[in-house]
Amino acid sequence: MKLDRTSIAIVVITVALLAAAPALPRWAMSLLNVSLCYGTVVLGMMLLMRTGLVSFGHGLYYCLGAYAAGTVDQMLKIPDMALMVLAGAAATGIVAAILGLLLARYRDIFFAMLSLAFSMILYGLLVKSSALGSTDGFNISAKSIFGIAVVDNAHRYATFGITVVLTMLSAFLLNRYLRSHRGRLAEAIRDNELRVEYMGASVRTTIHLHYVISAVLAGIGGALMAINIGHIDPEMTYWPQSGEFVFIAILSGTGNVFAPIGGALVFETIRSFAYEYSPNTWQMVLGITMLIVMIFLPGGLWSLLQRRKPA
Amino acid sequence: MATILHAKGLNKSFGAVTAANDINVAVEQDSVVGLIGSNGAGKTTFINMVTGYLKPTTGSIHFEGRDITSLKPRQITQLGICRSFQIPQLYNTMTVAENLMVGVGIVASSGARWAKSNRLDVAPEQAVEAMLEQFGLGDYRNRQSGLLPEGTRKLLDIAMAMVVRPRILLLDEPTSGVSADEKFVLMDRVMAAVREGKVTVLFVEHDMEVVERYTHRILAFYEGRIIADGEPAKVLDDVEVRKYVIGEAH
């Protein structure tokens, strides 16, 4: 298997993060964990955006992944991190495969608003469901990984480890996919659906596939977040959450799989510091950041690196 | 020669407007057929019906004996009927090489029977290089297709239709928007590729010089009907064609 520069960088960064874990302060590890979870979700958003679609409702799969993980932990009494993430990925994959049958027919604002509608339906169901904790949600406590019990510091490192490995593995696989013949169809569809059909490929099947992949990534991100935070609630599928993912995706750009991860880290860092130093106006700081990026870097933060390449 | 495409009793109406009126055409394998007619005569409608973009109101279209009337454009492409467009349909943000690579990739990555039978014997990158060479697009390899001159865009549009090894190629006004100097260069390249691939060609064209030079047969359209069908010299000399298509005073 021949590795490109991005794939090699993913492997190097993964090893570096895992090796640095013992030296990381708690706040840095926490910041990285949340950023990587968000980054995984936005990787999926990036695939959709490359295909020319924006989802305003990816909170649906983020939340569904978290609740599937929570269900394995609390209802089935299997508090294993690996199984919880697997459940999150499987549940979102199945739901996306079904909803994708309808959504793959729509484009532009119709796709965006229909995806938002589905996320709000889940929100409505969850807040009415007392068995799942209604508006309060419920706590979860992942106590093992691959059957090996983890407590105290080991739990902290295991959580960090699984978050780093799965996020980077997602990025690695998505990068491979985007460089494949099927992956190249994403930009072809965004540019000219008619030509794609007249070259013998199915636009709808490809969009459906990309929708499922992006949902599974959001599900993994949601399950990882549930494991990291230890609590899940319906706010995870409420519209501001989906808006945050769109925000990060625009902030990041779609030029490379590192963009969503880096963008999520920048977003979380700005939000953390803004909340710390300007608790009443932190949203304004984020808004101004977005404004600056949209005016000066319409291709997102990743375009800063692309600009440095020789023409 | 065997009939490869057969349109039987094609009619197409858009409300009160009749775009195709009882079109009956049998196209022989390896022939080059020119479709002429004034604007709105029904030439592009005919191409759109053959390639599945429009469905005929009545009538049927058969490719090698198989009824393809109800098939989708993608399925028709997979059978070996490909097309170019009056306005080139390219992936405008991609380079010329990337445009061709998408097509090569579709064939290379599909597990379907049509793709296996059309699969090129060389690596995708080599296949793209061969196409660039064949169509004289090598100098534009890394140029963004949305920024190319019109003649080059036309050529790339046709090259993209040829990527999936068609049996029939339909060209919609291949030389429109192309300078007088470039039009024969473009057509020579296209026809050389067509001969090499043993492809049957139908092309819509307004330039009678081009039509006369490259076709074996001409279909002249007027108000949705075929008013003349035969060898170029005979059709271009037809009284109705001279009056309604070429527009000569009588």
Side-chain angles (χ1 to χ4, degrees):
Chain A
M1 186 169 65
K2 195 181 170 189
L3 295 181
D4 63 295
R5 282 197 314 177
T6 302
S7 299
I8 294 167
I10 289 170
V11 173
V12 170
I13 290 172
T14 305
V15 173
L17 281 173
L18 293 176
L24 286 173
R26 279 182 182 270
W27 67 266
M29 195 178 270
S30 173
L31 181 69
L32 276 171
N33 276 336
V34 173
S35 303
L36 291 172
C37 293
Y38 274 14
T40 311
V41 181
V42 182
L43 278 171
M45 299 280 290
M46 176 187 129
L47 177 61
L48 281 182
M49 286 169 88
R50 279 202 178 197
T51 318
L53 299 164
V54 178
S55 168
F56 286 167
H58 249 42
L60 166 71
Y61 298 109
Y62 175 67
C63 181
L64 203 60
Y67 270 77
T71 303
V72 168
D73 179 65
Q74 291 297 310
M75 314 291 173
L76 302 180
K77 305 295 179 193
I78 310 172
D80 190 276
M81 294 181 198
L83 274 178
M84 289 163 76
V85 176
L86 192 64
T92 48
I94 292 165
V95 172
I98 296 165
L99 297 185
L101 293 170
L102 178 69
L103 279 158
R105 296 166 182 264
Y106 294 90
R107 303 288 182 274
D108 306 321
I109 194 68
F110 306 102
F111 178 89
M113 296 310 288
L114 198 54
S115 59
L116 174 64
F118 281 127
S119 75
M120 292 308 292
I121 288 171
L122 179 65
Y123 178 79
L125 290 172
L126 289 175
V127 295
K128 297 287 180 194
S129 172
S130 54
L132 293 172
S134 188
T135 52
D136 292 336
F138 58 91
N139 292 330
I140 61 171
S141 54
K143 292 171 183 159
S144 68
I145 182 164
F146 296 115
I148 303 163
V150 283
V151 289
D152 300 330
N153 265 346
H155 183 272
R156 198 158 65 88
Y157 294 133
T159 307
F160 181 68
I162 194 171
T163 304
V164 168
V165 169
L166 286 180
T167 299
M168 291 303 178
L169 182 64
S170 300
F172 184 89
L173 294 175
L174 186 64
N175 182 53
R176 299 288 298 175
Y177 177 74
L178 289 171
R179 288 170 182 274
S180 71
H181 292 305
R182 172 72 86 159
R184 278 197 200 97
L185 280 182
E187 281 154 315
I189 289 170
R190 185 192 62 200
D191 269 11
N192 196 333
E193 288 191 19
L194 184 69
R195 179 43 97 183
V196 172
E197 285 282 330
Y198 273 105
M199 291 187 109
S202 170
V203 170
R204 193 179 294 178
T205 304
T206 307
I207 286 178
H208 194 172
L209 175 68
H210 289 187
Y211 184 70
V212 172
I213 293 171
S214 83
V216 169
L217 288 169
I220 292 170
L224 288 173
M225 187 64 97
I227 291 167
N228 272 289
I229 303 293
H231 179 80
I232 52 179
D233 62 51
E235 292 290 318
M236 295 178 88
T237 189
Y238 202 44
W239 63 266
Q241 182 64 69
S242 298
E244 261 180 25
F245 297 139
V246 176
F247 187 112
I248 298 170
I250 294 170
L251 182 76
S252 314
T254 60
N256 187 286
V257 291
F258 273 122
I261 297 168
L265 186 60
V266 170
F267 174 83
E268 271 306 311
T269 306
I270 293 172
R271 179 158 70 175
S272 299
F273 280 96
Y275 198 77
E276 178 71 23
Y277 295 108
S278 176
N280 296 319
T281 54
W282 65 272
Q283 295 98 330
M284 195 172 76
V285 175
L286 284 174
I288 290 169
T289 305
M290 176 58 98
L291 203 62
I292 291 169
V293 168
M294 289 183 82
I295 292 169
F296 296 106
L297 296 169
L301 293 173
W302 187 257
S303 62
L304 273 174
L305 297 177
Q306 285 178 317
R307 280 180 187 188
R308 288 170 63 181
K309 287 181 183 173
Chain B
M1 278 189 283
T3 298
I4 190 167
L5 183 76
H6 200 170
K8 299 176 182 175
L10 287 186
N11 289 286
K12 180 68 186 176
S13 303
F14 299 100
V17 177
T18 302
N21 185 359
D22 195 27
I23 304 287
N24 290 283
V25 176
V27 177
E28 292 176 336
Q29 200 165 339
D30 298 339
S31 60
V32 179
V33 182
L35 279 61
I36 62 171
S38 54
N39 287 333
K43 311 175 299 294
T44 299
T45 301
F46 176 70
I47 283 191
N48 284 342
M49 286 193 288
V50 171
T51 54
Y53 190 75
L54 294 174
K55 298 296 169 205
T57 310
T58 58
S60 61
I61 302 162
H62 299 258
F63 172 66
E64 294 183 325
R66 178 181 171 177
D67 190 344
I68 59 166
T69 320
S70 59
L71 297 185
K72 293 173 183 170
R74 178 181 75 254
Q75 295 167 314
I76 291 172
T77 300
Q78 291 172 358
L79 287 174
I81 301 176
C82 299
R83 69 172 294 179
S84 72
F85 295 82
Q86 198 171 331
I87 299 165
Q89 296 295 319
L90 310 175
Y91 307 122
N92 285 331
T93 64
M94 297 187 190
T95 66
V96 170
E98 286 168 345
N99 267 267
L100 292 171
M101 183 56 91
V102 170
V104 171
I106 287 169
V107 179
S109 64
S110 173
R113 196 169 56 186
W114 75 274
K116 283 179 182 165
S117 61
N118 283 338
R119 198 152 291 165
L120 299 154
D121 305 325
V122 294
E125 292 75 14
Q126 285 176 286
V128 168
E129 282 304 316
M131 296 287 298
L132 290 169
E133 179 72 24
Q134 187 175 34
F135 284 88
L137 292 166
D139 291 344
Y140 298 98
R141 181 183 285 103
N142 297 318
R143 292 269 297 273
Q144 191 182 329
S145 66
L147 305 175
L148 294 172
E150 188 62 12
T152 314
R153 285 171 58 79
K154 284 271 183 189
L155 203 53
L156 178 58
D157 191 39
I158 296 167
M160 286 168 75
M162 288 289 287
V163 164
V164 285
R165 291 188 174 183
R167 303 284 311 286
I168 298 180
L169 179 65
L170 297 106
L171 308 173
D172 198 352
E173 299 191 22
T175 67
S176 74
V178 179
S179 70
D181 298 340
E182 285 180 311
K183 66 184 180 187
F184 291 120
V185 176
L186 182 147
M187 287 305 291
D188 283 346
R189 283 198 187 280
V190 172
M191 287 304 158
V194 160
R195 275 193 298 276
E196 196 181 320
K198 293 183 178 170
V199 182
T200 305
V201 180
L202 284 85
F203 72 90
V204 172
E205 187 55 65
H206 287 291
D207 189 321
M208 293 306 145
E209 269 187 303
V210 172
V211 174
E212 204 168 6
R213 185 161 167 173
Y214 294 101
T215 60
H216 303 138
R217 176 186 171 191
I218 293 176
L219 301 174
F221 285 74
Y222 178 67
E223 292 186 344
R225 291 179 295 117
I226 294 176
I227 57 170
D229 176 1
E231 290 176 7
K234 187 179 146 202
V235 171
L236 294 177
D237 207 32
D238 184 277
V239 176
E240 279 197 310
V241 172
R242 294 174 79 89
K243 181 178 175 185
Y244 296 120
V245 180
I246 300 171
E248 286 181 1
H250 52 282

